[in-house]
Amino acid sequence: MEKITFSKPVVITGANGSTAFQDVMWKDINFTGTGTLSATCMNNLSMKGCYSEQPITFTFVNVNWSYIESSQLQGSLSITM
């Protein structure tokens, strides 16, 4: 996905205990208002040039690997395997 603004929570959930989503790549994604990101059960989450305008929560659970480049993510980041 590219050049999208989320103002509500985004929840991505694969099958329990698997990495059902293989490669999720986001570029120039903005989070505003009450936008949050919760990603569960995926192989790869890449975020390039992403921005959150206020402190929001980013939660990654059972994500095999993640790549964050040139992004300004305000708020908390939680990563659990």
Side-chain angles (χ1 to χ4, degrees):
M1 288 193 275
E2 188 172 338
K3 297 182 181 175
I4 297 174
T5 298
F6 292 109
S7 59
K8 301 287 184 187
V10 176
V11 178
I12 303 170
T13 303
N16 189 22
S18 75
T19 53
F21 292 98
Q22 289 300 309
D23 298 312
V24 177
M25 294 175 272
W26 289 8
K27 182 178 178 186
D28 300 325
I29 302 294
N30 295 313
F31 296 90
T32 65
T34 60
T36 61
L37 173 61
S38 175
T40 304
C41 296
M42 69 175 54
N43 183 53
N44 152 15
L45 174 62
S46 297
M47 300 175 74
K48 297 179 181 182
C50 297
Y51 174 77
S52 67
E53 75 174 18
Q54 60 189 9
I56 64 171
T57 301
F58 294 86
T59 305
F60 302 161
V61 176
N62 195 23
V63 175
N64 192 37
W65 66 274
S66 57
Y67 177 81
I68 301 172
E69 175 187 319
S70 302
S71 297
Q72 181 178 351
L73 307 176
Q74 302 178 61
S76 61
L77 170 63
S78 172
I79 299 174
T80 304
M81 285 300 275

